[in-house]
Amino acid sequence: LTSEPDPATPASWDADGVLRSLQFGDIYFSTTDGLAESRAVFLAGCGLPEAWRGRRAFCVGELGFGTGLNILALLDLWRVSREPGARLQVFSVEAFPLAEEDVRRALAAWPELTDLGERLLVQWPRRARGFHRLDFEAEGAFVDLAIMEAGEALKAWTGAADAWFLDGFSPASNPDMWRPEVLAGVAARSAPGARAATFTVAGAVRRGLADVGYIVDKRPGFGRKSERLEARLPPPDPAPAPISRPAPRVAIIGAGIAGAALCRAFRALGAEPLVIEAETPGAGASGNPAALVMPRLDAGGGPVAQLYAQALARAADLMSRCPGALIAQGAVQLEVAAKDSARFEAIAAQDVFEHKALARLTAMEVAAALGEPEGPRGLAIRDARVVEPAALLARWLVHAKIVPASVAGLEHDGAAWRLLGPGGAEIARAEIVCIAAGVGGRVLAPSLPLYAVRGQVSLAAGPSAIAASNGEGYAIPTRDGFLFGATHDHDDEGIDTRTADHGRNLAQMARSRPRLTAQLGASLLSGRASLRAATPDFLPLAGPVPDLRPGLFILSGLGSRGFCAAPLLGEHVAALALGFASPLPQALAEIVEPARFIRRRARRLGRQMPGRPTATPRRRAHRE
Ligand SMILES: Cc1cc2nc3c(=O)[nH]c(=O)nc-3n(C[C@H](O)[C@H](O)[C@H](O)COP(=O)(O)OP(=O)(O)OC[C@H]3O[C@@H](n4cnc5c(N)ncnc54)[C@H](O)[C@@H]3O)c2cc1C
Ligand SMILES: C[S@@+](CC[C@H](N)C(=O)[O-])C[C@H]1O[C@@H](n2cnc3c(N)ncnc32)[C@H](O)[C@@H]1O
């Protein structure tokens, strides 16, 4: 389960030490002084730092991430001139990501950027197709890096930039980066009054920007270039929200993995959420002694595969910063059905996972990894994690005020939401409310199709440090032994532990981990039962609750993959709630949008003959 460096690189070093694109033949930045060029052309060209004065949040877009030099220069300026507590969101696009060692060598020329550069490099290499979030927490900044072609990235991103750095290679060598469709995408993803800057004054670029609404000006250039471009859209109407407006109050209902992930995400965006929990953090499905962080695998390579690949990468990143919560890294997905062989081949080849993050395993390799006799073949999932939920929840809820109360109802009084207890007493008021109550979401958002799937895990004391496997069931290490299961039962909401269910878990484990099962002998098992919240299409609910009143959001329906999906989806919901750009590409946001069921129902009703029965949802759940 170890990773090897990816040798592919789109650039090479000239004899005189200049990094040059192999495909385009052009250089990444000025040979005079790349950092001075970034500051003169892009930062000053977009009117920075004046443009972010008085702003609580500012968003910069860039075409052509390259070495990240422009973005490091931006962060360097932001950290000394931002408003206290303000957040900087950066969206940058790169179709041909550089190798880490080339970036390290290129950035070594500027010692003043060493600390920022190091933090960029530890979050490198990002090569999988899709969006990747890089954090610069101390600066109150983050970068959503889109590894894809510029036209595709601009269609996928849902944000609106206040400033654009247009930094493709020269239009002569890299015309794709400057084509009308890309410039139209820039305009479509610009905030009113946005600024744009570039080093080129090529006629096609000037005309292209003017055609999409930018007012374009030539300015004295940097280094050997006599001119550069500054461009701006007409001023906003009305002006952006002044910083003096109070920040919205945020309340999160539920302190499982969904609530904790939301709490972390809101705090990263500068909000101080209040968490309301009926019992204690982890009282629901998120309270097992260990959880496997594993993506739902989808051989189609479409939005579902992309969503879980991005979610796994993000969960692994964020959890690696909580070493106290980490029990193990890597897991083996076992072939269970005959079709799994072809399915796993297709999945291992998907470019939405990092290079070498998935690897096919022979039956012998699986047996060696698990310490079992030779059985099925498998798939090694390098970035899977086993975490200790209690430690993770404690870490992500650490600064939150947790109110012990059960929310029985929600009312909007025209200005804010009132969270009401069972007797109708007001627990809290907030402009933004996020329902993260697992199956408790059924009461608080009754228009959404959530249902419960009972599950029981079995717990064995020692042997600990087993390798994690998943297939028909799963077996993962805990702090003092291991955990296996789990059962999946519909129409049963009991959370008592049952001897019969231990029997079912044992029978299941005996098929995939016979040696481990034999080691158990007749030892007594303990266990834990809880309820998963599932949806008819097995995808989460993450986004606004369809409601005429503003500010109501949900993160639930996480099924059997809550620990993988919640960290990313918490960031998605927090971004939507606070007006930041989502970390999700549009197509991925759509498949988790809560309103999808209402839209589908409306379409079905539109098509349906009067009196024809509607289809009942399939009742099945994805396995842990
Ligand atoms: C047996 C079993 C094993 C599993 N194993 C794994 C695994 O290994 N990996 C994995 O990724 N997933 C696993 N899952 C799924 C995972 O547990 C869930 O996806 C996840 O825990 C859901 O998190 P949640 O925060 O949405 O809900 P929950 O963890 O259920 O949290 C909801 C919280 O909201 C509170 N609440 C409810 N109603 C209200 C209210 N009205 N007011 C205030 N508070 C309220 C509850 O007390 C609870 O604390 C497993 C599930 C089961 C059942
Ligand atoms: C001049 S370099 C960018 C330099 C970068 N801003 C920096 O600070 O190092 C141009 C970048 O655009 C990328 N690029 C070229 N064509 C592209 C396309 N069609 N879509 C996305 N990225 C592209 C190149 O790979 C290259 O990294």
Side-chain angles (χ1 to χ4, degrees), residues 290 326-330 368-371 386 460-469 475-483 513 516 519:
L326 218 55
I327 297 177
Q329 305 201 15
L370 301 184
V386 180
S464 58
I466 66 159
S469 68
I476 57 175
T478 60
R479 292 280 180 214
D480 54 4
F482 67 97
L483 171 161
R513 307 283 301 256
L516 190 59
Q519 281 175 38

Side-chain angles (χ1 to χ4, degrees), residues 260-271:
L262 279 165
C263 186
R264 194 211 65 78
F266 271 110
R267 290 183 57 82
L269 296 180

Side-chain angles (χ1 to χ4, degrees), residues 152-180:
E152 189 193 350
L154 288 164
K155 286 193 189 109
W157 191 52
T158 53
D162 298 300
W164 275 103
F165 301 170
L166 306 180
D167 198 15
F169 290 121
S170 72
S173 65
N174 187 193
D176 275 357
M177 200 61 149
W178 306 94
R179 66 194 195 272

